[in-house]
Amino acid sequence: MGKDDNFSEWYNDIVEKANLSDKRYPIKGMNVWTPYGWKIMRYVDDLIRKELDATGHDEVCFPLMIPETEFKKEKEHIKGFDSEVYWVTHAGLNELDVRLVIRPTSETAMYPMFSLWVRSHTDLPLKIYQLVNTFRYETKQTRSFIRVREIHFFESHTCHATEKDAQEQVEEDLVILEKIMERLCIPYSLMVRTEWDKFPGAYYTVGLDTAMPNGRMLQIGSIHHYRTNFSIPYNITYEDTDGEHKNVHQTTYGMSERLVGAMIGVHGDDKGLILPPPVAPVQVVIIPILSKGNADAVIKKAAAIERTLKDSGIRAKLDLRDERPGSKFFDWEIKGVPLRLEIGMRDIDNNVVTFARRDSGEKGTISSDDIVPGVEMILELIRKNMYDKAWKIQKENVVSVDSVKDLPERTLRFGWCGSEECGHRFEDENDLKLLGTPYIKEGFEGKCIVCGRHTDKVAYASRSM
Ligand code: ZN
């Protein structure tokens, strides 16, 4: 199945063949993480933890259920989530007086506690995060990692003394984002979402989008500045140096298992998955090439190389299955292992190991004496090549247009006067989603694509996934 011919079918096929997720679980949209898929997710989680810990965030874990009374405190928030939350109405045989929401996100779980935790300006900034599953009742067609009802989720929540401090947090989030995406080799654009598309209750939302091979943009995360929109209803205040009580300014940052979906979509090819080395469960697979009379010597050498690589912290796997080498190559290519090593008698005689890169298909040899630095260098070259290539595609996917005639299936860039009326008309008449206006301002002079008025505002749109 070709990736370029039918992305949807290709995607579903890869998820199944690489055995990343099992969707036969008897609740639609709640899929089982298989060992291979879960390992990838855990390496992604590890990267997130590392960057959050390094920037002074503390990990917490909040309860899954939220009382309806807390959930309803922020009016816009409840409006935004009303139709997509799961409710717990009974405990044992008793009907509950106060129904419980299964968290769709954790603002309303955390903020009643924040109002107890934050007392003084010395408690600020408060920076916490958690990696948990959230639940949303999706009514559109579900798709592994991209649109599911139980979502593996990362969320950070911060409280600050001033709006400026909260804005600085948004900037820090963008630095964290860049570090994580470099490892996952996922390019992204930063779009300030429209007023009607921002997170319910937010002052503004920055959407993080990555281009899929079918030209559509996949939202892979978001950063929100709340100002005091939540701290007022949840009464999160601090005593300032002047003895005055003030509401905190808040931000949140969220990403999910869509990162796995994005990696599949951005990097995979017709042979299968291609995993970025930092999150590949198997970074190097070693295939012994056996011929008559030398099997023992080759297996011994291959095992020694596996041990050496493992001892250096490289995730290596020796494939000793009783299969032909070609069939082993095929299996590991589907699973996206970034680097394959082949060892035969001729390699041993020449004191080398043959390698094949999954990203470029390039082949060569590494001296057996330099196996660890050699493999580390190639893994880093693969990572860099994957990231550069993905960025190139992300940029090439953007097309500037000045009329709505014959719009290509790509990310569209055009003038927009900024009015809601023109925004809605553009979305409805062209069946497109306005991604918003660039977070990092772009110079623009032109006309609104809908009303023709002069504007210096540029907007982006694409068909949504
Ligand atoms: Zn207009």
Side-chain angles (χ1 to χ4, degrees), residues 141-212:
Q141 195 185 0
T142 57
R143 183 187 298 283
S144 303
F145 311 118
I146 288 181
R147 195 174 294 113
V148 288
R149 291 174 173 170
E150 178 168 358
I151 311 158
H152 185 69
F153 194 58
F154 146 74
E155 53 183 323
S156 76
H157 295 255
T158 66
C159 296
H160 307 270
T162 63
E163 183 182 334
K164 183 171 159 282
D165 292 350
Q167 180 55 38
E168 278 168 16
Q169 183 58 50
V170 171
E171 295 295 321
E172 182 180 78
D173 291 345
L174 295 177
V175 176
I176 293 170
L177 174 72
E178 188 179 355
K179 289 189 172 168
I180 295 170
M181 293 305 147
E182 268 173 8
R183 311 305 290 164
L184 305 182
C185 310
I186 301 176
Y188 52 91
S189 64
L190 305 172
M191 292 289 151
V192 178
R193 293 291 192 240
T194 59
E195 280 300 304
W196 61 93
D197 191 34
K198 69 183 185 185
F199 184 77
Y203 159 47
Y204 73 78
T205 289
V206 182
L208 321 173
D209 302 304
T210 195
M212 288 290 105

Side-chain angles (χ1 to χ4, degrees), residues 415-419 421-423 447-453 455:
W416 174 39
C417 66
S419 82
E421 197 194 332
C422 287
K447 285 178 176 166
C448 173
I449 197 164
V450 180
C451 69
R453 264 183 290 179
T455 181

